[in-house]
Amino acid sequence: AAAAAAAAAAGPRRLGREARASLAAFLLGASVAALPVALGSPAALLAAPGLRGRLALAIHVASVNAALLLLYPRPLYKIAVRACFLGFAFGCGLLLSAGRSAWRHFGWYMCSLSLFHYSEYLVTAINNPRSLSLDSFLLNHSFEYNLAALSSWVEFTLEKLLFPELKQITWLSTVGLLMVIFGDCLRKAAMLTAGSNFNHIVQNEKSDTHTLVTSGVYGWFRHPSYVGWFYWSIGTQVLLCNPICVVGYALASWRFFRERIEEEEITLIHFFGEEYLEYKRKVPSGLPFIRGVKVEL
């Protein structure tokens, strides 16, 4: 994520063509949630789709992809098809959430995951279009990230088959959903506060516009975007009632952010010197038992 709070004054924010294309494609993909209305079927279309439901889903996917190919040239199509995929996952999550099946809470998870990744791209497009790329979706974050996601899906499916009652603890899933909402909102607030200098890659060179921001959510924590992502990631597993992955995600995320914060703070001290050290003394990192890089006095 971006340097703990390097931001520049920014004028009115406008949606560029990449942001507009991604937003239109996301909504187009999410329109799958309207299929039950079109078919006159119950909202829980995905719980027991039947031949008619499967055919409708296949036609929807094919027609949406054809529309994107016709609407956008190759560079924008690459953006649109990813946004559309996330929108489709969000719409499918809504359909699962609307039902009373054992997959209801997985629907909440699908909505949370797809919205997180799409909003990463959209906020970057608004804040810092110069750094915008396909990587801004964070869909190819790392092998470890993808493995962690796959592990959570496998655990949910196996435990659903072996211990179905474990996946029906609604109050616990609700706690997880609240953690997800809090974490994602905190992260996006950090991105918006940091402004045009927020970058998904730690910056090693200080630009002329970099200033240390200590207001807003940066007055609460030195690394609010990491705090948000930390609790969002754990919240997804609480939401799924995945006991193994709750522990695994907590340990892996804590270790990752501890190393990332130490690396980032070395750069920030190099950028801002005593100004950052004073800020570091006053404001906690926000993550449990992580104090950041140690400075020898």
Side-chain angles (χ1 to χ4, degrees), residues 21 24-32 56-74 76-88:
F26 181 86
L27 294 175
L28 193 59
S31 67
V32 68
L57 287 172
I59 292 174
H60 180 272
V61 170
S63 59
V64 164
N65 187 57
L68 295 179
L69 284 168
L70 290 173
L71 286 171
Y72 300 114
R74 182 71 176 172
L76 283 180
Y77 172 77
K78 291 181 180 180
I79 296 169
V81 74
R82 287 165 173 77
C84 185
F85 165 74
L86 292 171
F88 181 78

Side-chain angles (χ1 to χ4, degrees), residues 156-164 167:
F156 180 88
T157 303
L158 290 178
E159 290 175 351
K160 177 181 173 296
L161 293 174
L162 298 174
F163 314 105
K167 303 304 177 184

